[in-house]
Amino acid sequence: PVGSTATIIACKFTEHGKQPTRGQAMLLLGAIVADTLLLTSPTTTEIDRRQAAALAAIAHVDLYSFGRELLVSNDETLDRPAAELVEKDLKEFSGHDTRFAIAQIETVERTRLGPDHLQSFATALRERRQRSNWDFAALLVTDIFRGDSMVLIDSRTPAIARLLGPSGE
């Protein structure tokens, strides 16, 4: 198992005694960086790390500078509508007569998200919870570089909100 399909492709080059071109190496490296969140994802393997380092050398780029730049350029949290982002990775659950949903938005630098962005996420979460008639909904805004999340919660009743704890950092 590896964290990125691009790692398998890079391994195939090696197995066949070939070396990717600089452009191919950069594309493969970009895919590995995106799939493994710059080698920080729990699914990242030592094979991913070795291939990423080798591809960075072939592409003549600093792995971490290239990876950070790529992830920042792919960060959609400032550009896409909040309602669309809330839907992107949303899962519904039910149990013990309770219906709820949990969504996650990943960003590379949560500090770039000002109060207006966070309020738009909270509004989108509330609207989605109401439309689906869930008892509560939670949105994790995960900073992939810091490795932490802020949780926004919207609930039908104050009692649920008290049980789940305060929203925010």
Side-chain angles (χ1 to χ4, degrees):
V2 293
S4 176
T5 303
T7 299
I8 296 169
I9 295 168
C11 287
K12 291 297 178 189
F13 270 98
T14 305
E15 286 172 18
H16 292 283
K18 306 265 185 204
Q19 180 172 308
T21 65
R22 182 173 186 232
Q24 291 168 331
M26 198 169 294
L27 286 171
L28 290 168
L29 178 59
I32 293 171
V33 163
D35 290 344
T36 65
L37 302 175
L38 192 49
L39 307 173
T40 63
S41 168
T43 61
T44 304
T45 67
E46 192 54 41
I47 298 168
D48 295 302
R49 289 183 184 87
R50 281 196 311 265
Q51 287 296 336
L55 292 166
I58 295 167
H60 306 293
V61 296
D62 176 78
L63 172 60
Y64 291 96
S65 296
F66 172 82
R68 186 169 178 83
E69 185 178 326
L70 179 106
L71 292 175
V72 167
S73 70
N74 285 340
D75 188 341
E76 303 171 314
T77 54
L78 298 177
D79 304 327
R80 290 178 72 189
E84 191 176 311
L85 291 168
V86 166
E87 293 290 336
K88 192 173 178 181
D89 186 9
L90 181 138
K91 303 206 177 30
E92 293 184 58
F93 301 93
S94 63
H96 303 287
D97 298 323
T98 302
R99 294 183 61 240
F100 63 98
I102 300 175
Q104 183 175 27
I105 296 171
E106 293 178 335
T107 184
V108 294
E109 207 171 311
R110 196 176 66 231
T111 57
R112 298 181 329 149
L113 302 173
D116 291 345
H117 280 97
L118 296 177
Q119 183 56 53
S120 66
F121 293 154
T123 299
L125 183 66
R126 183 184 333 69
E127 290 171 355
R128 184 63 167 91
R129 183 197 57 77
Q130 290 171 340
R131 234 181 9 261
S132 297
N133 200 29
W134 295 319
D135 295 295
F136 71 91
L139 172 65
L140 287 79
V141 181
T142 301
D143 185 316
I144 60 173
F145 288 144
R146 286 175 36 164
D148 65 8
S149 298
M150 174 179 27
V151 181
L152 302 176
I153 297 171
D154 186 79
S155 66
R156 182 185 321 206
T157 63
I160 292 175
R162 279 193 304 277
L163 285 172
L164 295 173
S167 289
E169 293 191 64

